[in-house]
Amino acid sequence: MIGLDSPDDAAVWRLSDDKAIVVTTDFFTPVVDTAYEYGAIAATNSLSDVYAMGGQPFLALNIAALPDHLPPEISSEILRGGAEKAREAGVVIAGGHTVKDKEPKYGLVAIGFVDPRKIISKSGLKAGDVLVLTKPLGLGVTTTALKQEKVEKAHINEAIEWMCRLNKTASELALEFGVRGGTDITGFGLLGHGLEMAQASGVSLHIEYLKLPFLNGARGYAEQGIFPGGAFDNKMYFEKSVKFGKTIDEPAQMLLFDPQTSGGLLFGVPREKLEALEKRAREMNQPVWVIGDVQPGSGAEIEA
Ligand code: CO
Ligand code: CO
């Protein structure tokens, strides 16, 4: 149903009228300096693409590349972080494969089920939808500040908490309200992933800057120019499709291209359902921010 012709968060294969299988993989080098948290973040991120499709993951395999000299207790902490996060998600890690490599890499192959009639895809946004985001932005700048040894402890702890948060309830919330257009915010940043959806759905995104949630340290690190390399690549690639309001300065613009590790879901919901969705989100203890809306047209417009 979904594969290379219409790239999305995961591949989807129909098994029957009411069941399809969702398959995805993702792995990356350490984003934090504690092994357990790194494993948990990598697993959360790998499972996120199943949730982004409206699926429920149930089975996973480890993919690991580990240096020869890495102490065995570090390797096992990485895998334990991944395993405990999988358990929290109700996912069984049933095997995997490890190779040797200079720099550690870890992630999962994740497999889930989705009802084919309820798939959430990048092409499902409709003009008139309201845009909902489920985690704050600024994860890229904050982890880069950690790498550059410029981070404040409270800021990185806040980022770790969000990166370890499964997109499970966010996905369940979206499904409950019949959401069909959504994705997770990861390496291409808010605007990269937002523009993928705008293009696939044939619509334009209107985002109100002041409604965007940011981690506490994000603006400060952005003002110091602490961005991962990917942020500049994203800007170069995507900025031609974005119109920024006059008052949105350079650090603010860059924050919207900041790659997010294990970011939240971005989805569209009809305006008339918004009030009920926000109420249900509170009951589920699932944070949501309304950041703008979907209009006819193309590209993205960022208003102050
Ligand atoms: Co994704
Ligand atoms: Co992915």
Side-chain angles (χ1 to χ4, degrees):
M1 295 181 73
I2 294 182
L4 293 174
D5 292 341
S6 55
D8 216 299
D9 292 301
V12 183
W13 186 273
R14 189 196 300 274
L15 298 173
S16 67
D17 285 348
D18 61 357
K19 203 167 216 182
I21 199 158
V22 187
V23 185
T24 178
T25 183
D26 211 333
F27 57 103
F28 48 61
T29 55
V31 287
V32 292
D33 49 16
T34 44
Y36 179 86
E37 272 81 20
Y38 165 45
I41 291 165
T44 305
N45 177 68
S46 300
L47 298 173
S48 175
D49 278 325
V50 177
Y51 293 126
M53 304 299 296
Q56 170 63 53
F58 69 97
L59 188 65
L61 303 173
N62 281 321
I63 307 175
L66 301 168
D68 249 342
H69 59 79
L70 200 68
E73 60 272 23
I74 301 282
S75 323
S76 59
E77 275 297 276
I78 296 172
L79 298 178
R80 190 171 71 85
E84 289 191 0
K85 189 48 72 175
R87 194 169 314 132
E88 180 192 329
V91 170
V92 176
I93 296 184
H97 189 68
T98 304
V99 296
K100 285 177 194 170
D101 201 352
K102 280 198 204 79
E103 203 179 355
K105 291 164 193 82
Y106 175 65
L108 303 176
V109 173
I111 302 175
F113 287 124
V114 67
D115 182 331
R117 297 160 296 192
K118 297 180 179 171
I119 291 172
I120 298 174
S121 75
K122 294 188 183 181
S123 59
L125 289 181
K126 296 263 184 308
D129 282 354
V130 174
L131 287 170
V132 174
L133 181 67
T134 69
K135 287 189 193 180
L137 305 168
L139 296 164
V141 285
T142 306
T143 55
T144 304
L146 171 70
K147 281 193 185 119
Q148 297 185 7
E149 298 177 2
K150 291 173 184 160
V151 84
E152 263 180 52
K153 190 84 185 126
H155 293 160
I156 190 64
N157 287 345
E158 186 193 16
I160 288 172
E161 219 178 289
W162 283 106
M163 290 188 289
C164 285
R165 188 183 174 107
L166 290 168
N167 281 327
K168 186 175 196 287
T169 51
S171 176
E172 287 164 359
L173 176 71
L175 281 177
E176 233 180 86
F177 286 83
V179 165
R180 290 294 170 269
T183 193
D184 58 341
I185 304 302
T186 54
F188 295 151
L190 176 74
L191 282 179
H193 290 289
L195 285 165
E196 282 184 336
M197 283 210 289
Q199 199 188 354
S201 304
V203 295
S204 158
L205 306 191
H206 288 243
I207 294 171
E208 292 177 61
Y209 193 86
L210 293 176
K211 291 194 175 168
L212 289 170
F214 288 102
L215 297 178
N216 283 310
R219 173 76 199 187
Y221 299 128
E223 283 174 3
Q224 295 173 60
I226 302 174
F227 284 97
F232 302 98
D233 297 341
N234 289 342
K235 180 172 197 253
M236 210 162 63
Y237 191 77
F238 292 110
E239 74 177 337
K240 59 182 182 298
S241 310
V242 186
K243 248 171 70 188
F244 284 104
K246 278 196 198 75
T247 53
I248 300 167
D249 63 5
E250 180 70 15
Q253 294 186 19
M254 280 300 291
L255 279 172
L256 306 192
F257 295 111
D258 183 39
Q260 304 297 289
T261 300
S262 191
L265 299 189
L266 173 66
F267 58 81
V269 65
R271 191 176 291 276
E272 61 270 19
K273 291 186 180 175
L274 182 62
E275 202 177 314
L277 180 138
E278 286 181 306
K279 180 169 177 281
R280 184 76 185 108
R282 280 192 296 275
E283 288 166 9
M284 294 168 87
N285 196 21
Q286 170 59 55
V288 289
W289 289 270
V290 177
I291 65 163
D293 61 11
V294 180
Q295 296 183 19
S298 65
E301 206 168 307
I302 318 300
E303 297 147 23

